[in-house]
């Protein structure tokens, strides 16, 4: 996944396109206009039967599948953003939309959670997901990284790589290559039996991702990856790269032995964009590996949307040229837990909980107007599957849920950090603490009386990413990476000073993905450094998984205190758990925890929509789990709303609820 500014409206290409043979010609030279006019009918020419294979046909500028010309129409779906029980529903809807393939990322950090600790179970069972795509008759374009971007935490690279302070990511750095090789030796053997020529459905595999947009431009690194992929997957698999259409990006992101494809959205000039691909691949199929159906949402910005007619028109233009296309995204899904990443575009831009992407299948997996517009275009070029489109998932409006304060966060540090604090003269980063996600509390005391307002501040870019400041356990304000970096405080010597630091997602795209979190520099009071810190890495997830807070008695917290606090509530349920949408009206920023899971609900004042909560998560929400309000909560009564609609208005189940057992549900705003 790339960047909107990089791919949309780049302007005219500066170099003339080379002359290359037209499909079906006798070899005469042709201009770019002729080269791009590859009639889609040429993709259905008869060919002699051959062994099961998926190859490049440089003579006819197309793919060959089992020896016959082939063009794919694909859509992106990320299994890590879709609950496993919903995989079949989403994939079936993609198949019924007329897609012949799906494009799939594999996030390294989702599977190797700690060095040498692997998880391929449950929602992480990538083999089960791939087998399901085969069962439903979909081909797969696999993008295993090791870097994927995808607006995913650190672009899929594990944060524990940063435990090595001298590591240089996405380069020939020995420490980085050793970790990559170790990972590939675990992942790729799972992939090899599923390659198309081995009898599976994976037709091509991407090496790295949009490497030309990275500052390093290390072709030795790409050559190393190429050697590893060939050694582990064999010589027959089609390997490719994806980059934007800029000359510099294509220079640094391509390599002989890897077929070069491009990505661009509906705002681009199709002839110019494919002309860029032709400069690095004079022959072969035209491929747009990421045709943007919408765009992601950043914290503090309005929900992004892209016209269905605009997307459909661009798709038809490319299909008329005989191009193979992958639509990014076809279904976006949700950034559960702490997996959303961030961009850096002159400032830090964290991605929201929702990865709806204004995609043809909504965040809840429902068909949209855009899907049917795309389906109509596809029907002009190939037959659609017979049968109806599966309907929208049933929704249920559970109504208002009253919440009561359970405990102030600073009052339960013994539960959330059972091993106790780490003492340090100066603050330590998350990485130094070996804390990957979530929160860390930094505690010290005022070293002298401050009768008049004094400036509490941090060096530039040292608040990563958001710090909630409490003095004597009372909330004072918030410090942010690219926002407010100073506060004025008063107090007495010995007063407690606490900063709750939140990791809002490591940068997934930009010049450098080495994105350290926490306090990267020391706080000062009137320019005098503070020292003697007690640092609490919070293990909220672990506490919730162990039954907290229901296994503990309620804490007696100050009802009037303002600051990070946990809230609980209960509601009546129907007989089954249906999808719903959750909103915390008037709340500032919420983390909602469930048994074994965390759903991050970034309550964003710039976006008024509700956040999708799958039925499987609703079922979990009824079990022990908390809501954490990070800075302040609204005046009583505090509550959440579980409704049945989001944007755009969607179908939902209207059956009445049956009375059921009320279950306590802890909440973290």
């Amino acid at each position: 996944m790339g960047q909107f500014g990089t791919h949309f409206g780049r302007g005219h290409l500066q170099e003339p396109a080379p002359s290359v043979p037209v499909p079906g010609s006798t070899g005469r030279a042709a201009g770019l206009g002729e080269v791009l006019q590859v009639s889609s009918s040429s993709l259905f020419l008869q060919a002699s039967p051959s062994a099961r294979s998926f190859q490049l046909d440089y003579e006819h500028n197309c793919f060959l599948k089992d020896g016959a010309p082939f063009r794919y129409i694909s859509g992106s779906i990320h299994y890590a953003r879709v609950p496993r029980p919903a995989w079949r529903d989403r994939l079936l809807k993609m198949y019924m939309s007329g897609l012949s393939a799906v494009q799939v990322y594999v996030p390294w950090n989702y599977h190797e959670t700690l060095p040498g600790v692997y998880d391929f179970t449950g929602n992480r069972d990538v083999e089960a997901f791939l087998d399901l795509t085969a069962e439903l008759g979909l081909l797969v374009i696999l993008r295993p990284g090791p870097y994927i971007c995808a607006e995913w935490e650190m672009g899929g690279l594990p944060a524990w790589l940063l435990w090595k302070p001298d590591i240089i990511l996405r380069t020939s750095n020995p420490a980085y290559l050793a970790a990559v090789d170790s990972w590939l030796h675990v992942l790729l053997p799972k992939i090899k039996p599923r390659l198309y020529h081995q009898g599976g459905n994976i037709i091509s595999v991407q090496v790295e991702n949009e490497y030309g947009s990275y500052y390093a431009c290390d072709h030795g690194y790409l050559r190393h990856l190429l050697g590893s992929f060939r050694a582990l997957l064999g010589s027959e698999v089609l390997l490719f790269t994806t980059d934007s259409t800029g000359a510099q990006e294509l220079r640094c992101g391509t390599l002989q032995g890897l077929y070069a494809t491009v990505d661009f959205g509906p705002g681009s000039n199709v002839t110019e964009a494919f002309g860029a691909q032709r400069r690095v691949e004079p022959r072969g199929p035209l491929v747009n590996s990421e045709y943007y159906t919408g765009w992601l949402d950043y914290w503090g910005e309005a929900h992004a949307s892209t016209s269905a007619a605009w997307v459909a028109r661009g798709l038809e233009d490319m299909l008329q040229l005989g191009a193979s296309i992958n639509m990014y995204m076809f279904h976006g899904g949700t950034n559960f837990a702490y997996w959303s990443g961030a961009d850096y575009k002159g400032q830090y831009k964290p991605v929201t909980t929702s990865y709806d992407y204004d995609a043809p299948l909504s965040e809840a997996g429902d068909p949209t107007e855009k899907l049917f517009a795309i389906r109509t275009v596809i029907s002009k070029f190939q037959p659609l599957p017979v049968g109806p489109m599966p309907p929208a998932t049933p929704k249920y409006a559970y109504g208002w849920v009253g919440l009561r304060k359970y405990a102030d966060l600073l009052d339960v540090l013994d539960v959330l950090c059972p091993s106790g604090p780490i003492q340090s003269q100066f603050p330590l980063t998350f990485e130094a603490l070996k804390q990957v996600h979530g929160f860390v509390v930094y505690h010290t005391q005022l070293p002298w009386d401050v009768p008049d307002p004094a400036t509490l501040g941090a060096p530039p870019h040292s608040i990563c990413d958001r710090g909630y400041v409490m003095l004597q356990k009372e909330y004072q304000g918030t410090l942010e990476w690219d926002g407010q970096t100073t506060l004025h405080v008063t107090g007495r010597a010995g007063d407690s000073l606490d900063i709750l630091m939140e990791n809002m997602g490591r940068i997934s795209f930009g010049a450098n993905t080495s994105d350290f979190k926490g306090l990267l520099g020391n706080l000062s009071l009137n320019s005098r450094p503070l020292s003697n810190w007690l640092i609490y890495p919070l293990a909220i997830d672990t506490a919730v998984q162990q039954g907290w807070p229901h296994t503990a008695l309620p804490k007696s917290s100050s009802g009037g205190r303002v600051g990070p606090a946990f809230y609980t509530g209960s509601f009546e349920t129907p007989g089954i758990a249906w999808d719903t949408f959750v909103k915390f009206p008037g709340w500032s920023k919420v983390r909602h925890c469930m048994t074994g899971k965390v759903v991050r609900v970034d309550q964003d004042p710039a976006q008024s929509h509700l956040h999708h909560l799958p039925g499987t998560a609703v079922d979990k929400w009824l079990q022990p789990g908390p809501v954490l309000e990070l800075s302040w909560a609204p005046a009583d009564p505090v509550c959440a709303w579980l409704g049945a609609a989001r944007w755009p208005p969607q179908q939902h189940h209207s059956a009445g609820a049956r009375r059921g057992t009320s279950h306590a549900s802890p909440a973290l705003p």
Side-chain angles (χ1 to χ4, degrees), residues 106-174:
V106 180
W108 177 6
N109 54 7
Y110 193 58
H111 295 285
E112 191 175 2
T113 53
L114 291 170
V117 178
Y118 303 100
D119 188 350
F120 290 96
T121 63
N123 287 339
R124 291 172 164 86
D125 192 342
V126 62
E127 293 175 280
F129 182 84
L130 293 173
D131 291 345
L132 182 57
T133 64
E135 177 188 333
L136 295 175
L138 289 161
L139 300 170
V140 169
I141 301 153
L142 194 69
R143 309 174 82 181
Y147 164 85
I148 63 170
C149 183
E151 287 77 52
W152 188 262
E153 158 81 5
M154 206 163 136
L157 299 179
W160 49 258
L161 291 172
L162 301 178
W163 297 356
K164 297 180 180 293
D166 298 327
I167 199 167
I168 306 174
L169 304 178
R170 301 178 70 193
T171 69
S172 299
N173 174 269

Side-chain angles (χ1 to χ4, degrees), residues 301-616:
E301 297 183 7
H303 173 55
S305 63
T306 305
S307 158
W310 197 33
V311 171
R313 184 165 56 250
L315 176 64
E316 185 164 0
D317 289 344
M318 289 184 290
L319 291 177
Q320 285 176 340
L321 294 175
S324 287
I325 300 152
N326 174 70
M327 286 169 274
Y328 190 104
M329 296 292 299
F330 205 87
H331 173 53
T334 304
N335 290 311
F336 295 106
Y338 304 102
W339 290 114
S340 64
D343 285 342
Y344 193 84
K345 298 180 176 179
Q347 68 179 66
Y348 175 73
K349 296 170 73 71
V351 177
T352 61
T353 304
S354 170
Y355 201 69
D356 175 82
Y357 213 86
D358 195 33
L361 280 174
S362 74
E363 182 181 6
D366 297 339
T368 65
E369 173 193 353
K370 188 175 292 182
L371 180 145
F372 289 106
I374 288 170
R375 195 170 185 261
T376 298
V377 170
I378 293 174
S379 70
K380 299 177 182 179
F381 297 88
Q382 61 190 42
L384 295 174
V386 177
M389 174 65 64
T393 56
K395 314 292 191 305
Y396 193 84
Y398 295 89
W400 292 99
V401 179
L403 299 172
R404 65 178 178 85
K405 182 186 280 191
Y406 176 83
D408 289 296
L409 182 142
L410 294 179
D411 289 340
V412 289
L413 292 181
D414 58 332
V415 175
L416 304 180
C417 184
S419 60
I422 297 166
Q423 299 185 37
S424 178
Q425 184 73 3
F426 299 108
L428 301 173
T429 65
F430 277 44
E431 291 69 30
L433 299 166
K434 293 184 167 49
Q435 175 91 347
V436 176
H437 304 295
F439 303 87
V440 171
V441 170
Y442 296 81
H443 169 86
T444 189
Q445 296 177 331
L446 294 184
W448 59 81
D449 289 341
V450 187
D452 300 316
T455 301
L456 178 71
H461 308 300
S462 63
I463 301 292
C464 294
D465 302 312
R466 191 174 171 100
Y468 307 91
V469 179
M470 280 77 68
L471 190 60
Q472 289 294 90
K473 298 188 176 182
E474 290 286 350
Y475 175 70
Q476 303 295 307
T478 301
L479 303 177
E480 298 181 271
W481 184 340
D482 285 309
Q484 182 173 339
T485 57
T486 60
L487 292 172
H488 290 97
V489 298
T490 59
R492 303 181 63 178
D495 283 354
S496 63
L497 176 67
D498 296 275
I499 299 91
L500 173 66
M501 291 299 303
E502 178 187 8
N503 169 10
M504 293 181 66
R506 289 183 177 84
I507 293 170
S508 54
F509 187 94
N512 192 338
T513 51
S514 297
D515 186 7
F516 294 87
K517 296 302 182 185
L519 285 176
L520 275 58
N522 199 20
L523 290 183
S524 61
L525 194 62
N526 277 349
S527 300
R528 296 169 64 181
L530 297 172
S531 59
N532 299 319
W533 293 88
L534 295 178
I535 306 173
Y536 296 80
L538 302 188
I540 298 175
D541 297 12
T542 301
V544 172
Q545 290 165 4
Q546 294 174 351
W548 182 84
H550 289 268
T551 56
L553 294 174
K555 294 285 183 177
S556 57
S557 292
S558 171
R561 184 185 298 168
V562 175
F566 293 87
Y567 292 74
T568 65
S570 63
F571 61 93
E572 293 184 348
T573 71
I576 59 173
W578 283 323
D579 284 18
T580 191
F581 296 90
V582 61
K583 187 176 180 65
F584 295 82
W587 294 55
S588 59
K589 205 165 190 293
V590 176
R591 292 279 181 164
H592 172 212
C593 296
M594 304 171 296
T595 303
K597 291 179 178 290
V598 172
V599 173
R600 185 181 75 179
V601 179
D602 277 335
Q603 194 70 29
D604 191 338
Q607 297 183 12
S608 59
H609 62 262
L610 285 72
H611 296 268
H612 179 238
L613 201 62
T616 51

Side-chain angles (χ1 to χ4, degrees), residues 25-181:
S25 74
T26 57
R28 67 174 178 84
L32 175 62
E34 292 177 278
V35 171
L36 294 183
Q37 293 300 322
V38 181
S39 170
S40 59
S41 64
S42 68
L43 299 177
F44 302 99
L45 297 173
Q46 295 299 313
S48 300
S50 62
R52 186 177 173 91
S53 63
F54 191 82
Q55 301 168 318
L56 295 164
D57 183 345
Y58 288 105
E59 181 180 355
H60 297 99
N61 296 325
C62 66
F63 293 111
L64 290 178
K65 180 172 173 282
D66 299 335
F70 177 78
R71 178 260 299 290
Y72 63 74
I73 304 175
S74 170
S76 288
I77 179 173
H78 300 158
Y79 62 92
R81 287 179 162 127
V82 181
R84 181 168 180 167
W87 287 353
R88 180 179 293 272
D89 172 79
R90 307 307 192 258
L91 290 170
L92 181 57
K93 287 171 179 171
M94 296 174 78
Y95 175 81
M96 294 304 298
S97 298
L99 303 186
S100 54
V102 293
Q103 192 189 82
V104 181
Y105 274 134
V106 180
W108 177 6
N109 54 7
Y110 193 58
H111 295 285
E112 191 175 2
T113 53
L114 291 170
V117 178
Y118 303 100
D119 188 350
F120 290 96
T121 63
N123 287 339
R124 291 172 164 86
D125 192 342
V126 62
E127 293 175 280
F129 182 84
L130 293 173
D131 291 345
L132 182 57
T133 64
E135 177 188 333
L136 295 175
L138 289 161
L139 300 170
V140 169
I141 301 153
L142 194 69
R143 309 174 82 181
Y147 164 85
I148 63 170
C149 183
E151 287 77 52
W152 188 262
E153 158 81 5
M154 206 163 136
L157 299 179
W160 49 258
L161 291 172
L162 301 178
W163 297 356
K164 297 180 180 293
D166 298 327
I167 199 167
I168 306 174
L169 304 178
R170 301 178 70 193
T171 69
S172 299
N173 174 269
Y176 175 70
L177 289 184
V180 167
D181 287 345

Side-chain angles (χ1 to χ4, degrees), residues 571-573 659-663:
F571 61 93
E572 293 184 348
T573 71
R659 294 188 65 83
T661 305
S662 295
H663 299 265

